[in-house]
Amino acid sequence: MSRQTPPTLLQLAGESLLRDQASAITAPDYLPAELLPPLFIQAYRRRIREPLKAMVHAWPFTMLPLGNLMKLPEVIVLKAVLDGLDVLLAQEVRPRRWKLRVLDFRDTGANFWRMWSGDSTPKCSPRGPMTVHSSSPNMEHPLAPLEVFLDLNFNARDADEFLMHIIQWAKEREGLLHLCCKAVRISETPLQRVRRVLDRVQLDCIQEVEVNCTWDLPTLGTFALHLGQMSNLQRLSLPHIDVLAEEEDWEEEEDWDRKQQEEQRSFSQFLSQMLRLRHLRDLNMDFPSFLQGRLDQMLRCLQAPLNKLSMENCQRLTHSDLTHLFQCPNLRQLKSLHLFRLSLVDFSLEPLQALLEAVAPTLQDLCLDHCGMVDSQVEAILPVLSRCHQLREFTISKNNFSVATVEKLLRHTAGLRSLEFELYPVPLECYRSQGTVNQERLARIRAELMGILRELGQPRTICLATKHFGDSEFYVVAFS
């Protein structure tokens, strides 16, 4: 039977203080700085407004990271925090111990709360370490503008009230603080709800947009009007875009023509706004079937070299699209190239070879998984692979390679000292006619590959993956 960890003396002292609200309201001005974070957590969990407000008023650190702590909190609790800030923002001279410069509603700050409150704090995904500055009790300074950071995460209706409350509060205090929204993430949310929020924030602060839902081209075109105003955007993840299909049952030919014209106008509107994104460095596309036959038009809109390109589920792209992709001048400085389920069947890999030649000095991640590649195509890229000395991750699984080709890949990548992760397909010789893996053959081939690793003489671990989509099995071959 497990025992519950008894509360610490600090926790007991905090609970005792919070039971006396009058003392809890005056105490923050006199408590040592290190006692305020654990007391803040206790007051937040118990939804005790006035002590929360008092602690914000007396906060002795440069940053108050609320994102991890407030997972869609009750607005009444959020209001207590903002009310505490209002008291300070109304003053011309900063209180003697107050150093707050940043109010952060993003998913950051786990290290801060763990540092001051131990393991009882909320478990969150760790980010980089946070510098904590405590104030000198005898210093007073003019009140500087407050930075408020807020990510716009559209994933639940309850989030709207939370976002709008902060945005409206910030707007009413313009000049006293600066609201900065650096990221927009949209999941299964009607666009009209997204636009209602975007219309009220400073779009040139946004550096990242991620859309994880299915749109049609008119929706993308409408969103693009906001996208074009995000002049400092660095990372863009486009959603699955549905397009008209000729096989659909259209009652009137006029309906088909009208819809096609609407799609073309939306696509043109999207391209015109892409031209305004002069700082875009990271582009991710999933199911980009709307680019079939016109990928070159979008590539010409890129205003600066990309650092990262990721394209998934691109079976509809034509050979002409692929040629334009690999010849795009703004892909010549890539650090990461991720192509998954992009059909390279019967496609000459010479354009890809030329691209890899260009990016060999900078490329760190190369993923060519599930691309329908065969033995004869790999010969084109083997020599250049051995010159990608910055490569850290190389995956080429779910392709149709013999054991001889896998062996060649191992030999040509043997000199890449930065390589940390390698994923290859289980060779074709390991499969039965029904498509299942013959474990005895696989064991023999793993032993052969182990022999090659031993012959090459460097400690190395590789993984082999079966080609079954969705439920792959993985096998490790290691030499140490």
Side-chain angles (χ1 to χ4, degrees):
M1 184 175 178
S2 60
R3 295 182 180 180
Q4 188 173 358
T5 304
T8 65
L9 289 176
L10 182 60
Q11 290 171 330
L12 291 173
E15 291 172 5
S16 176
L17 180 60
L18 291 174
R19 280 195 291 268
D20 180 357
Q21 281 219 31
S23 297
I25 292 170
T26 57
D29 285 326
Y30 306 101
L31 287 174
E34 61 268 19
L35 296 185
L36 281 186
L39 189 63
F40 186 95
I41 290 176
Q42 287 180 286
Y44 167 75
R45 286 175 173 170
R46 294 172 59 181
R47 307 296 196 260
I48 308 177
R49 286 198 42 175
E50 293 304 319
L52 276 175
K53 178 178 174 181
M55 278 184 275
V56 172
H57 184 271
W59 198 249
F61 305 104
T62 58
M63 179 178 288
L64 178 54
L66 294 176
N68 288 123
L69 207 56
M70 291 188 166
K71 297 296 183 183
L72 293 183
E74 299 171 9
V75 171
I76 190 171
V77 179
L78 173 63
K79 192 173 185 301
V81 174
L82 301 183
D83 284 350
L85 286 171
D86 281 339
V87 174
L88 293 161
L89 293 172
Q91 300 179 20
E92 294 183 2
V93 178
R94 183 187 310 278
R96 62 193 181 100
R97 67 180 285 173
W98 197 65
K99 294 195 69 175
L100 188 61
R101 295 288 192 278
V102 174
L103 179 64
D104 199 341
F105 288 100
R106 298 172 298 178
D107 191 18
T108 61
N111 289 346
F112 175 89
W113 298 112
R114 275 199 294 267
M115 178 191 304
W116 295 109
S117 304
D119 292 336
S120 62
T121 57
K123 298 296 188 239
C124 317
S125 57
R127 298 284 183 100
M130 179 179 299
T131 303
V132 179
H133 305 278
S134 59
S135 64
S136 171
N138 298 317
M139 294 180 64
E140 295 185 355
H141 303 282
L143 191 63
L146 181 72
E147 289 278 353
V148 180
F149 291 100
L150 174 69
D151 284 349
L152 303 178
N153 294 316
F154 299 94
N155 51 20
R157 182 168 294 276
D158 294 341
D160 288 9
E161 184 181 8
F162 173 70
L163 294 175
M164 291 302 293
H165 189 92
I166 296 174
I167 292 169
Q168 183 61 33
W169 173 81
K171 197 170 187 66
E172 292 171 356
R173 290 149 186 83
E174 197 167 350
L176 297 175
L177 57 84
H178 175 231
L179 176 63
C180 188
C181 303
K182 290 185 176 291
V184 177
R185 302 182 186 93
I186 305 169
S187 298
E188 303 300 337
T189 304
L191 185 59
Q192 62 186 29
R193 283 173 51 195
V194 176
R195 294 177 65 190
R196 186 167 69 97
V197 174
L198 293 183
D199 285 339
R200 302 175 70 89
V201 300
Q202 191 174 334
L203 295 179
D204 60 1
C205 279
I206 294 172
Q207 298 179 5
E208 175 186 350
V209 170
E210 181 177 332
V211 184
N212 294 309
C213 51
T214 300
W215 284 351
D216 57 16
L217 260 176
T219 302
L220 178 63
T222 301
F223 179 73
L225 296 176
H226 290 88
L227 190 67
Q229 299 177 59
M230 301 176 189
S231 55
N232 289 301
L233 191 70
Q234 297 177 19
R235 182 176 185 271
L236 174 61
S237 295
L238 289 175
H240 178 180
I241 304 296
D242 273 340
V243 293
L244 295 175
E246 293 186 10
E247 59 268 19
E248 291 182 22
D249 185 17
W250 294 90
E251 294 183 1
E252 298 289 342
E253 187 174 342
E254 291 181 0
D255 289 341
W256 167 261
D257 291 340
R258 178 175 53 81
K259 287 288 187 181
Q260 272 196 318
Q261 291 171 9
E262 182 183 11
E263 283 201 344
Q264 184 55 50
R265 284 195 300 270
S266 299
F267 183 66
S268 298
Q269 185 162 280
F270 166 69
L271 293 182
S272 68
Q273 301 305 310
M274 284 288 292
L275 286 167
R276 303 176 66 180
L277 305 181
R278 299 186 178 277
H279 300 284
L280 187 65
R281 296 294 183 271
D282 183 343
L283 179 60
N284 305 277
M285 295 182 285
D286 190 10
F287 286 99
S289 53
F290 75 104
L291 294 173
Q292 180 181 7
R294 51 189 181 186
L295 177 60
D296 60 315
Q297 297 179 50
M298 196 201 74
L299 294 172
R300 285 198 296 271
C301 292
L302 296 176
Q303 298 297 295
L306 293 180
N307 291 331
K308 179 179 179 181
L309 175 66
S310 175
M311 299 180 66
E312 299 190 7
N313 302 298
C314 310
Q315 301 94 322
R316 291 192 180 184
L317 294 183
T318 65
H319 283 187
S320 176
D321 290 327
L322 297 179
T323 299
H324 286 297
L325 174 68
F326 298 137
Q327 292 178 348
C328 176
N330 278 320
L331 301 188
R332 301 289 162 169
Q333 297 178 30
L334 282 176
K335 294 181 179 179
S336 176
L337 177 61
H338 183 152
L339 304 177
F340 180 79
R341 297 194 79 189
L342 182 148
S343 179
L344 296 175
V345 177
D346 298 326
F347 179 75
S348 170
L349 290 194
E350 290 181 3
L352 175 58
Q353 175 192 1
L355 175 60
L356 293 179
E357 291 278 5
V359 301
T362 59
L363 193 64
Q364 297 177 2
D365 302 298
L366 177 61
C367 304
L368 300 171
D369 301 288
H370 213 305
C371 291
M373 298 170 65
V374 296
D375 291 341
S376 57
Q377 291 175 298
V378 176
E379 297 290 337
I381 63 172
L382 282 175
V384 68
L385 273 179
S386 63
R387 294 193 288 277
C388 296
H389 291 289
Q390 304 301 316
L391 204 60
R392 298 179 306 189
E393 178 177 320
F394 175 50
T395 68
I396 195 167
S397 66
K398 298 181 184 294
N399 289 295
N400 302 309
F401 296 159
S402 66
V403 65
T405 293
V406 175
E407 290 177 359
K408 289 179 182 178
L409 285 165
L410 292 181
R411 294 184 185 279
H412 278 80
T413 53
L416 305 182
R417 297 293 180 251
S418 299
L419 205 54
E420 298 172 355
F421 181 74
E422 303 171 66
L423 182 62
Y424 301 95
V426 168
L428 293 175
E429 291 88 342
C430 297
Y431 291 96
R432 300 186 181 93
S433 57
Q434 306 94 319
T436 58
V437 175
N438 184 313
Q439 294 295 331
E440 290 184 7
R441 291 182 205 161
L442 177 58
R444 287 198 298 271
I445 287 176
R446 289 175 68 187
E448 289 179 27
L449 297 178
M450 171 71 81
I452 292 173
L453 296 182
R454 186 180 296 110
E455 175 191 334
L456 294 172
Q458 293 290 334
R460 191 172 174 186
T461 299
I462 67 167
C463 290
L464 305 176
T466 58
K467 60 184 178 181
H468 307 299
F469 183 71
D471 57 351
S472 293
E473 296 177 341
F474 297 91
Y475 302 90
V476 175
V477 179
F479 169 68
S480 56

Coordinates of all heavy atoms in Angstrom, one line a residue, residues 317-358:
L317 N 1.8 14.8 -56.4 CA 2.7 15.7 -57.2 C 3.2 15.1 -58.4 O 3.6 13.9 -58.4 CB 3.8 16.2 -56.3 CG 3.5 17.0 -55.0 CD1 4.7 17.4 -54.3 CD2 2.7 18.3 -55.4
T318 N 3.3 15.8 -59.5 CA 3.8 15.2 -60.8 C 5.3 15.2 -60.8 O 6.0 15.9 -60.0 CB 3.3 16.1 -61.9 OG1 3.9 17.4 -61.8 CG2 1.7 16.2 -61.8
H319 N 5.9 14.5 -61.8 CA 7.3 14.5 -62.0 C 7.8 16.0 -62.3 O 8.9 16.3 -61.9 CB 7.7 13.6 -63.1 CG 7.7 12.2 -62.7 ND1 8.1 11.2 -63.5 CD2 7.2 11.6 -61.6 CE1 7.9 10.0 -62.9 NE2 7.4 10.2 -61.7
S320 N 7.0 16.8 -63.0 CA 7.4 18.1 -63.2 C 7.5 18.9 -61.9 O 8.4 19.7 -61.7 CB 6.4 18.8 -64.2 OG 6.7 20.2 -64.3
D321 N 6.5 18.7 -61.0 CA 6.5 19.3 -59.7 C 7.8 19.0 -58.9 O 8.4 19.8 -58.3 CB 5.3 18.9 -58.8 CG 4.0 19.4 -59.3 OD1 4.0 20.5 -59.9 OD2 3.0 18.7 -59.2
L322 N 8.2 17.7 -59.0 CA 9.3 17.2 -58.2 C 10.6 17.9 -58.8 O 11.5 18.2 -58.1 CB 9.4 15.7 -58.3 CG 8.3 14.9 -57.6 CD1 8.5 13.4 -57.8 CD2 8.2 15.3 -56.2
T323 N 10.7 18.0 -60.1 CA 11.8 18.6 -60.7 C 12.0 20.1 -60.3 O 13.0 20.5 -59.9 CB 11.7 18.5 -62.3 OG1 11.7 17.1 -62.7 CG2 12.9 19.2 -62.9
H324 N 10.8 20.8 -60.3 CA 10.9 22.2 -59.8 C 11.3 22.2 -58.4 O 12.0 23.2 -57.9 CB 9.5 22.8 -60.0 CG 9.2 23.2 -61.5 ND1 9.9 24.1 -62.2 CD2 8.2 22.7 -62.3 CE1 9.4 24.2 -63.4 NE2 8.4 23.4 -63.5
L325 N 10.8 21.3 -57.6 CA 11.1 21.3 -56.1 C 12.6 21.2 -55.9 O 13.2 22.0 -55.2 CB 10.4 20.1 -55.5 CG 10.7 19.8 -54.0 CD1 10.2 21.0 -53.1 CD2 10.1 18.5 -53.5
F326 N 13.2 20.2 -56.6 CA 14.6 19.9 -56.3 C 15.5 21.0 -57.0 O 16.7 21.1 -56.6 CB 15.0 18.5 -56.8 CG 14.3 17.4 -56.1 CD1 13.7 16.3 -56.8 CD2 14.1 17.4 -54.8 CE1 13.1 15.3 -56.2 CE2 13.5 16.4 -54.1 CZ 12.9 15.3 -54.8
Q327 N 15.0 21.7 -57.9 CA 15.8 22.8 -58.6 C 15.6 24.2 -58.0 O 16.2 25.1 -58.5 CB 15.5 22.8 -60.1 CG 16.0 21.5 -60.8 CD 15.6 21.5 -62.3 OE1 14.8 22.4 -62.8 NE2 16.2 20.6 -63.0
C328 N 14.7 24.3 -57.0 CA 14.4 25.6 -56.4 C 15.6 26.2 -55.8 O 16.3 25.7 -54.9 CB 13.3 25.4 -55.4 SG 12.9 26.9 -54.5
P329 N 16.0 27.4 -56.2 CA 17.2 28.1 -55.7 C 17.1 28.3 -54.2 O 18.2 28.4 -53.5 CB 17.2 29.5 -56.4 CG 16.4 29.2 -57.6 CD 15.3 28.2 -57.3
N330 N 15.9 28.5 -53.6 CA 15.8 28.8 -52.2 C 15.8 27.6 -51.3 O 15.5 27.7 -50.1 CB 14.6 29.6 -51.9 CG 14.8 31.1 -52.2 OD1 15.8 31.7 -51.9 ND2 13.8 31.7 -52.8
L331 N 16.2 26.4 -51.9 CA 16.4 25.2 -51.1 C 17.9 24.9 -51.0 O 18.3 23.8 -50.5 CB 15.7 24.0 -51.7 CG 14.2 24.1 -51.8 CD1 13.6 22.8 -52.3 CD2 13.5 24.6 -50.5
R332 N 18.8 25.8 -51.4 CA 20.2 25.5 -51.5 C 21.0 25.7 -50.2 O 22.2 25.4 -50.2 CB 20.9 26.3 -52.6 CG 20.2 26.2 -54.0 CD 20.6 24.8 -54.6 NE 19.7 24.5 -55.7 CZ 19.9 23.4 -56.5 NH1 21.0 22.7 -56.4 NH2 19.1 23.1 -57.5
Q333 N 20.3 26.0 -49.2 CA 20.9 26.2 -47.9 C 20.2 25.4 -46.8 O 20.3 25.7 -45.6 CB 21.0 27.7 -47.5 CG 21.8 28.5 -48.4 CD 21.8 30.0 -48.0 OE1 21.7 30.3 -46.8 NE2 21.9 30.9 -49.0
L334 N 19.5 24.3 -47.2 CA 18.7 23.6 -46.3 C 19.6 22.9 -45.2 O 20.7 22.4 -45.5 CB 17.9 22.5 -47.0 CG 16.7 22.9 -47.8 CD1 16.1 21.6 -48.5 CD2 15.6 23.4 -46.8
K335 N 19.0 22.9 -44.0 CA 19.6 22.1 -42.9 C 18.8 20.8 -42.6 O 19.3 19.9 -42.1 CB 19.7 22.9 -41.6 CG 20.6 24.1 -41.7 CD 20.6 24.8 -40.3 CE 21.6 26.0 -40.4 NZ 21.6 26.8 -39.1
S336 N 17.5 20.9 -43.1 CA 16.7 19.7 -42.8 C 15.7 19.5 -44.0 O 15.1 20.5 -44.5 CB 15.8 19.9 -41.6 OG 14.9 18.8 -41.4
L337 N 15.7 18.3 -44.6 CA 14.9 18.0 -45.7 C 14.1 16.7 -45.3 O 14.7 15.7 -45.2 CB 15.7 17.8 -47.0 CG 14.9 17.3 -48.2 CD1 13.8 18.4 -48.6 CD2 15.8 17.0 -49.4
H338 N 12.8 16.8 -45.2 CA 12.0 15.7 -44.8 C 10.9 15.4 -45.9 O 10.0 16.2 -46.0 CB 11.3 16.0 -43.4 CG 10.5 14.9 -42.9 ND1 10.3 14.8 -41.5 CD2 9.8 13.9 -43.4 CE1 9.5 13.7 -41.3 NE2 9.2 13.2 -42.5
L339 N 11.0 14.3 -46.6 CA 10.1 13.9 -47.6 C 9.5 12.6 -47.2 O 10.2 11.6 -47.1 CB 10.8 13.8 -49.0 CG 11.5 15.1 -49.4 CD1 12.2 14.9 -50.8 CD2 10.5 16.3 -49.5
F340 N 8.2 12.5 -47.0 CA 7.5 11.3 -46.5 C 6.3 11.0 -47.4 O 5.5 11.9 -47.6 CB 7.1 11.4 -45.1 CG 6.4 10.2 -44.5 CD1 7.1 9.1 -44.1 CD2 5.0 10.1 -44.5 CE1 6.5 8.0 -43.7 CE2 4.3 9.0 -44.0 CZ 5.1 7.9 -43.6
R341 N 6.3 9.8 -48.0 CA 5.2 9.4 -48.9 C 5.2 10.4 -50.1 O 4.1 10.8 -50.5 CB 3.9 9.4 -48.2 CG 3.8 8.3 -47.1 CD 2.4 8.0 -46.7 NE 1.7 7.2 -47.6 CZ 0.4 6.9 -47.6 NH1 -0.3 7.5 -46.7 NH2 -0.2 6.1 -48.5
L342 N 6.3 10.8 -50.6 CA 6.4 11.5 -51.8 C 6.8 10.5 -52.9 O 7.9 9.9 -52.8 CB 7.4 12.6 -51.7 CG 7.7 13.6 -52.9 CD1 8.0 15.0 -52.4 CD2 8.8 13.1 -53.8
S343 N 6.0 10.3 -53.9 CA 6.2 9.3 -54.9 C 7.4 9.6 -55.8 O 7.3 10.5 -56.7 CB 4.9 9.0 -55.7 OG 5.2 8.0 -56.6
L344 N 8.5 8.8 -55.7 CA 9.6 8.9 -56.6 C 9.7 7.7 -57.5 O 10.7 7.4 -58.1 CB 10.9 9.0 -55.7 CG 11.0 10.2 -54.8 CD1 12.3 10.1 -54.0 CD2 11.1 11.5 -55.7
V345 N 8.5 7.0 -57.7 CA 8.5 5.8 -58.6 C 8.7 6.3 -60.0 O 8.1 7.3 -60.5 CB 7.1 5.2 -58.5 CG1 7.0 4.0 -59.5 CG2 6.8 4.7 -57.1
D346 N 9.7 5.6 -60.7 CA 10.1 5.9 -62.0 C 10.6 7.4 -62.2 O 10.5 7.9 -63.4 CB 8.9 5.7 -63.0 CG 8.4 4.3 -63.0 OD1 9.3 3.4 -62.8 OD2 7.2 4.0 -63.1
F347 N 11.0 8.0 -61.2 CA 11.5 9.3 -61.3 C 13.1 9.3 -61.2 O 13.7 8.7 -60.3 CB 11.0 10.2 -60.1 CG 11.5 11.6 -60.1 CD1 11.0 12.5 -61.1 CD2 12.4 12.1 -59.2 CE1 11.4 13.9 -61.1 CE2 12.9 13.4 -59.2 CZ 12.4 14.3 -60.1
S348 N 13.7 10.0 -62.1 CA 15.2 10.1 -62.1 C 15.6 11.0 -60.9 O 15.1 12.1 -60.8 CB 15.7 10.7 -63.4 OG 17.1 11.0 -63.3
L349 N 16.5 10.4 -60.1 CA 16.9 11.2 -58.9 C 18.1 12.2 -59.2 O 18.6 12.7 -58.3 CB 17.4 10.2 -57.8 CG 16.2 9.4 -57.2 CD1 16.7 8.7 -55.9 CD2 15.0 10.2 -56.9
E350 N 18.4 12.4 -60.4 CA 19.5 13.4 -60.7 C 19.2 14.8 -60.2 O 20.1 15.4 -59.6 CB 19.7 13.4 -62.2 CG 20.4 12.1 -62.8 CD 20.7 12.2 -64.3 OE1 20.4 13.3 -64.8 OE2 21.2 11.2 -64.8
P351 N 17.9 15.3 -60.3 CA 17.6 16.6 -59.7 C 17.8 16.6 -58.1 O 18.3 17.5 -57.6 CB 16.2 16.9 -60.0 CG 15.9 16.1 -61.3 CD 16.7 14.8 -61.1
L352 N 17.4 15.4 -57.5 CA 17.6 15.3 -56.1 C 19.1 15.2 -55.8 O 19.6 15.8 -54.8 CB 16.9 14.1 -55.5 CG 17.2 13.8 -54.0 CD1 16.8 14.9 -53.1 CD2 16.5 12.5 -53.6
Q353 N 19.9 14.5 -56.6 CA 21.3 14.5 -56.4 C 22.0 15.8 -56.5 O 22.8 16.2 -55.7 CB 21.9 13.6 -57.5 CG 23.5 13.5 -57.5 CD 24.0 12.9 -58.8 OE1 23.3 12.5 -59.7 NE2 25.3 12.8 -58.9
A354 N 21.5 16.7 -57.4 CA 22.0 18.0 -57.6 C 21.7 18.9 -56.3 O 22.6 19.7 -55.9 CB 21.5 18.7 -58.8
L355 N 20.5 18.7 -55.8 CA 20.1 19.4 -54.6 C 21.0 19.0 -53.4 O 21.5 19.9 -52.7 CB 18.7 19.2 -54.3 CG 18.2 19.8 -53.0 CD1 18.3 21.3 -53.0 CD2 16.7 19.4 -52.7
L356 N 21.2 17.7 -53.3 CA 22.0 17.2 -52.2 C 23.5 17.7 -52.3 O 24.2 18.0 -51.3 CB 22.0 15.7 -52.1 CG 20.6 15.1 -51.7 CD1 20.7 13.6 -51.7 CD2 20.2 15.6 -50.3
E357 N 24.0 17.8 -53.5 CA 25.3 18.4 -53.7 C 25.4 19.8 -53.2 O 26.4 20.2 -52.6 CB 25.7 18.4 -55.2 CG 25.9 17.0 -55.9 CD 27.3 16.4 -55.6 OE1 28.0 17.1 -54.9 OE2 27.5 15.3 -56.2
A358 N 24.3 20.5 -53.5 CA 24.3 22.0 -53.0 C 24.2 22.1 -51.5 O 24.9 23.0 -50.9 CB 23.2 22.7 -53.7

